[in-house]
Amino acid sequence: MFASLLKAAVAAGLVQTSLARLVVRDALGSRDSTSKCNLDWTDAAPLKTTYVDGVKYGCKCYFGDDCWPAASAWQTLNQTVDGSLIVNMPPGAACHNTFNGPFGTVNTYDAAACADINEKFTDEAWTVSQPAAALWTYWTGETCRPSEDPTASCTLGNYGVYVIKATKHAHIKAGVDFARKNNIRLVLRNTGHDFIGRSVGYGSLVINTHSFKDVQWINSYAGAGSYHGSAVKVAAGIQGREILALGHARSPPLVVVTGECPTVGIAGGFIQGGGHGPWTTLKGFSADNVLAFEVITASGLYAVANEVENADLFYALKGGGPASYAVILTVTMKTFPDQRASGATLYINSTHTTDADVWWNGTAAFHKYANHFVDNGLYVYYEIFPQTLRVRPFVAIDKTAAQLQALVQPMLNELDAQHIPYEFAVKEFLTFFDLYEDLFEAESAGGSAISGGWMLNHADMDPARTPLVMDAFKKVFTPARPSTFSFMIGHLFNPGYNVPVANSATHPAWRNATDFLITNIIVPDGVDAGFKAYLQDVLTNDIDEALRSVSSSDCTYVNEADPYQTNWQGRFWGSAYPTLRRTRNKWDPLGVFYAVSTPGTEGWGLINDTKLCKKLG
Ligand SMILES: Cc1cc2nc3c(=O)[nH]c(=O)nc-3n(C[C@H](O)[C@H](O)[C@H](O)COP(=O)(O)OP(=O)(O)OC[C@H]3O[C@@H](n4cnc5c(N)ncnc54)[C@H](O)[C@@H]3O)c2cc1C
Ligand SMILES: *[C@@H]1O[C@H](CO)[C@@H](O)[C@H](O)[C@H]1NC(C)=O
Ligand SMILES: *[C@@H]1O[C@H](CO)[C@@H](O)[C@H](O)[C@H]1NC(C)=O
Ligand SMILES: *[C@@H]1O[C@H](CO)[C@@H](O)[C@H](O)[C@H]1NC(C)=O
Ligand SMILES: *[C@@H]1O[C@H](CO)[C@@H](O)[C@H](O)[C@H]1NC(C)=O
Ligand SMILES: *[C@@H]1O[C@H](CO)[C@@H](O)[C@H](O)[C@H]1NC(C)=O
């Protein structure tokens, strides 16, 4: 999706092209130890007491600290995980003469490997396949981008120190146990798509869950709850397009609610944030469709969570925030028969007009019909920055091309009446999957940006308010204080269209959503910490504030929003928050897991932008 945006940013010279009763079982065996409420924390190492300006903190152990495990302990861990533990290096290391890592300086330059990395650094699939790389690199610290200059420094930054490339559930358990028993910062990493750095972490042990690819189709679900329809159990590493392609190969073809992005995972951060995609207007969030999870808890136990067993955990894992309650091993979710679908595209860009007022009037005409589109069951994905509106695609499931054409006709008439040039096309497909393959675009990696986002509900998007909303958009692109290139990704959907009451821990306000916008600011290479802090301030207080100021939703999406805004608790979860915080404190009271601005992380933060500590004083 971001391909065109990155191109624009590159053209603008902003990025380098190198661009209850617990039912728990031991994870290793099958022996049941049911009824033992075994959330036992006695084996956990204490936080390391640290004073900063006279204030007492408890920190994780870091390299160089006395409490950091000895090499022999890591060797033992490596044996436990069948040799799958690796010492991590930033993916750009081969382009630098040396890598200055926690274990000293090693020579890394390799011209051929560097050329290869330069080519692949923007390749999404390649990035996902790396042990601990991030798609959006800003939160890695940008300490080792592939460089034209081999003498440029390369350090670890916020990339993990060690990675377990887990291939068995026992490896995941071993990693969780090791982190808990040694007070090490633990990072779970599936695809590395996270926008806000939640799959990287300074000084961490990373567990990579990407290799788990089992898929089990279930004709009639017989587990807990009233649902007995078709379902599928997917392992932690399965990605959106993978499951859609496998579903398409079934007879009859099946779908699940995935994201629009082909490579975002299902059972990781996506579903724990809620998970929206092309089917969301018709079927709700991905999390609304979950029937069961299998997990490893922070205490290192295997557990099942569904409506009956560990119901609190079940609820929290459905949208209550990533990396907070347990490691998900599998998710079982409803499937639906695929259906005929129609799609459309609308472009208004500099090919059509270079007049900014004409372009804004066209952009306004599109947004004026946003409620109309979602109220007719559509999902619409679009990218927007000055002089470019790229609506690709409008998705109309179970509708003919003629029906979709009729739904968009009032908007087209308005564009025509105002003599606004545009390009529009509509197409019918045998199945949604065919539409997905044709109209959704590949995305890219390696971009350095900070992102925020906000939800505009039906009242906000009332056609009479379009001029107000367009004024807010203008402030996003040209914030009150000078900034670098900013752009938005828009999504028209309403999870409440057919699922009026959440079947998940997602913010209740979503059930009247119309437009969810991701805001982004490109961060140029090599800027200093002061400028980064300034851009973050612009994002929080100018850009996102512009959207908030025209909105009554008070709601945004934990996976695609600014974690540094005030009241993230209320804005990510609304009335669901107190329950989630309690659930976190039960399942992970010590903070074995951590992701910024997730339930129960009050008091936790980074000291010196690196060390994860909890304020105790
Ligand atoms: C290009 C792009 C397109 C996107 N499109 C969509 C979209 O259409 N809809 C949508 O809803 N979101 C979308 N997102 C956002 C997406 O939901 C988040 O990036 C999400 O965090 C990705 O989850 P992941 O597991 O794939 O990624 P990761 O970065 O690997 O993990 C994200 C978070 O989940 C945690 N985590 C990972 N695996 C597990 C596990 N097994 N158990 C517990 N915690 C785990 C990680 O620790 C981290 O905190 C998109 C993001 C990108 C970059
Ligand atoms: C773990 O063991 C494997 C196989 O013996 C080895 O290749 C790897 O280097 C070891 N990892 C570490 C961190 O020592
Ligand atoms: C501009 O619109 C044309 C269609 O007229 C499309 O082919 C092109 O990709 C669009 N450009 C962007 C940056 O969206
Ligand atoms: C844009 O729309 C406004 C309000 O309808 C109108 O006054 C203005 O003339 C339009 N601008 C252009 C360039 O068409
Ligand atoms: C959604 O918002 C509209 C407009 O404000 C309102 O009329 C409608 O009742 C709301 N629906 C729900 C389910 O809250
Ligand atoms: C933070 O950085 C300062 C300056 O380098 C250092 O003196 C201090 O010990 C650091 N704090 C922690 C908790 O590491």
Side-chain angles (χ1 to χ4, degrees):
M1 78 176 172
F2 299 106
S4 59
L5 300 169
L6 278 173
K7 262 180 240 150
V10 168
L14 294 165
V15 267
Q16 290 194 343
T17 22
S18 61
L19 277 247
R21 214 174 78 114
L22 303 177
V23 182
V24 288
R25 272 158 251 156
D26 190 280
L28 295 168
S30 54
R31 237 166 8 101
D32 272 14
S33 56
T34 44
S35 84
K36 238 171 71 195
C37 178
N38 214 339
L39 291 177
D40 182 0
W41 312 105
T42 50
D43 65 359
L47 296 173
K48 179 184 155 72
T49 303
T50 307
Y51 289 88
V52 179
D53 298 333
V55 180
K56 188 178 179 185
Y57 290 85
C59 299
K60 299 282 182 181
C61 287
Y62 288 95
F63 196 83
D65 291 341
D66 292 341
C67 54
W68 181 261
S72 57
W74 291 101
Q75 292 305 324
T76 306
L77 172 63
N78 196 15
Q79 281 158 20
T80 313
V81 298
D82 303 319
S84 68
L85 183 75
I86 62 164
V87 171
N88 193 29
M89 241 191 245
C95 296
H96 300 258
N97 287 335
T98 55
F99 164 57
N100 254 306
F103 304 102
T105 300
V106 285
N107 293 330
T108 43
Y109 189 74
D110 178 334
C114 174
D116 193 43
I117 287 159
N118 263 309
E119 200 176 298
K120 290 178 174 155
F121 204 65
T122 54
D123 178 334
E124 205 183 12
W126 180 82
T127 308
V128 168
S129 73
Q130 299 304 298
L135 233 74
W136 284 66
T137 53
Y138 177 82
W139 297 104
T140 68
E142 303 290 14
T143 53
C144 189
R145 284 185 79 87
S147 164
E148 307 281 302
D149 171 13
T151 66
S153 105
C154 169
T155 57
L156 196 55
N158 299 326
Y159 287 107
V161 176
Y162 286 100
V163 185
I164 297 174
K165 293 168 75 179
T167 55
K168 293 179 183 163
H169 292 165
H171 300 165
I172 295 178
K173 171 186 164 54
V176 172
D177 286 345
F178 189 87
R180 182 184 68 253
K181 292 179 183 173
N182 292 285
N183 184 33
I184 302 297
R185 178 156 180 199
L186 179 66
V187 165
L188 308 172
R189 195 273 192 185
N190 179 20
T191 69
H193 273 70
D194 207 83
F195 279 113
I196 50 181
R198 298 174 304 186
S199 47
V200 296
Y202 175 83
S204 60
L205 167 64
V206 177
I207 303 176
N208 180 311
T209 61
H210 190 57
S211 78
F212 297 94
K213 295 286 189 185
D214 291 346
V215 171
Q216 204 181 309
W217 300 91
I218 300 162
N219 291 331
S220 21
Y221 182 69
S226 56
Y227 180 80
H228 300 298
S230 65
V232 65
K233 179 163 141 179
V234 300
I238 285 284
Q239 293 160 271
R241 189 187 170 279
E242 275 176 322
I243 194 66
L244 289 174
L246 291 169
H248 185 68
R250 308 284 300 169
S251 180
L254 297 172
V255 293
V256 299
V257 182
T258 69
E260 58 77 26
C261 169
T263 55
V264 165
I266 300 287
F270 173 78
I271 219 150
Q272 292 172 92
H276 60 77
W279 283 79
T280 291
T281 301
L282 298 185
K283 302 294 182 190
F285 281 110
S286 203
D288 291 323
N289 294 287
V290 176
L291 300 163
F293 295 99
E294 291 173 288
V295 303
I296 301 283
T297 66
S299 59
L301 293 161
Y302 168 87
V304 168
N306 59 36
E307 266 181 45
V308 174
E309 291 178 59
N310 303 316
D312 58 343
L313 182 61
F314 178 57
Y315 173 76
L317 289 169
K318 296 185 297 175
S324 299
Y325 312 95
V327 187
I328 297 177
L329 303 175
T330 68
V331 57
T332 303
M333 58 200 298
K334 294 178 189 175
T335 62
F336 304 101
D338 199 356
Q339 291 176 44
R340 167 184 66 190
S342 295
T345 52
L346 170 71
Y347 306 104
I348 308 176
N349 62 45
S350 49
T351 310
H352 315 103
T353 177
T354 52
D355 183 323
D357 290 335
V358 172
W359 182 81
W360 275 110
N361 283 0
T363 297
F366 164 69
H367 285 90
K368 211 175 131 179
Y369 291 90
N371 283 343
H372 168 72
F373 296 143
V374 298
D375 290 346
N376 282 284
L378 304 193
Y379 164 94
V380 183
Y381 174 87
Y382 65 102
E383 300 170 351
I384 179 170
F385 51 95
Q387 220 58 32
T388 297
L389 175 67
R390 184 179 181 84
V391 188
R392 179 179 174 131
F394 292 82
V395 177
I397 294 163
D398 199 24
K399 286 189 167 50
T400 62
Q403 286 170 317
L404 175 54
Q405 180 76 40
L407 285 173
V408 297
Q409 199 57 50
M411 172 191 75
L412 299 177
N413 292 345
E414 187 150 338
L415 291 169
D416 292 338
Q418 293 188 58
H419 307 291
I420 296 165
Y422 61 86
E423 186 173 305
F424 176 82
V426 60
K427 208 169 161 182
E428 192 171 312
F429 298 87
L430 276 177
T431 63
F432 162 75
F433 185 72
D434 294 315
L435 181 159
Y436 184 79
E437 293 284 85
D438 196 71
L439 292 179
F440 284 94
E441 298 175 285
E443 321 206 355
S444 59
S448 193
I450 47 176
S451 48
W454 200 251
M455 187 270 272
L456 300 176
N457 64 19
H458 273 62
D460 302 336
M461 295 302 286
D462 186 287
R465 299 181 81 255
T466 305
L468 283 174
V469 173
M470 293 304 108
D471 282 347
F473 284 16
K474 285 175 187 166
K475 290 178 189 159
V476 169
F477 301 138
T478 313
R481 288 173 290 169
S483 175
T484 61
F485 182 78
S486 48
F487 61 93
M488 290 194 287
I489 310 293
H491 314 72
L492 307 184
F493 62 73
N494 177 10
Y497 178 76
N498 276 335
V499 187
V501 177
N503 187 28
S504 59
T506 50
H507 196 312
W510 281 111
R511 306 295 147 169
N512 210 353
T514 295
D515 196 357
F516 171 64
L517 292 145
I518 307 176
T519 54
N520 300 276
I521 308 182
I522 298 279
V523 183
D525 236 11
V527 299
D528 63 23
F531 192 64
K532 287 180 181 174
Y534 167 77
L535 288 180
Q536 179 64 53
D537 188 25
V538 168
L539 178 76
T540 306
N541 295 309
D542 296 348
I543 289 186
D544 278 10
E545 193 55 31
L547 296 178
R548 279 192 284 270
S549 71
V550 293
S551 168
S552 60
S553 78
D554 208 27
C555 165
T556 186
Y557 181 40
V558 57
N559 283 354
E560 300 177 315
D562 171 19
Y564 302 104
Q565 61 187 304
T566 54
N567 189 23
W568 50 264
Q569 296 91 337
R571 288 164 169 180
F572 293 166
W573 292 288
S575 56
Y577 189 74
T579 304
L580 293 174
R581 188 174 177 172
R582 270 197 309 279
T583 306
R584 172 61 179 276
N585 288 336
K586 172 176 157 191
W587 289 92
D588 182 23
L590 303 181
V592 173
F593 304 120
Y594 175 79
V596 62
S597 300
T598 50
T601 58
E602 291 85 356
W604 287 94
L606 299 182
I607 292 184
N608 289 350
D609 282 334
T610 50
K611 296 183 179 175
L612 180 65
C613 302
K614 186 180 189 178
K615 196 173 173 187
L616 301 174

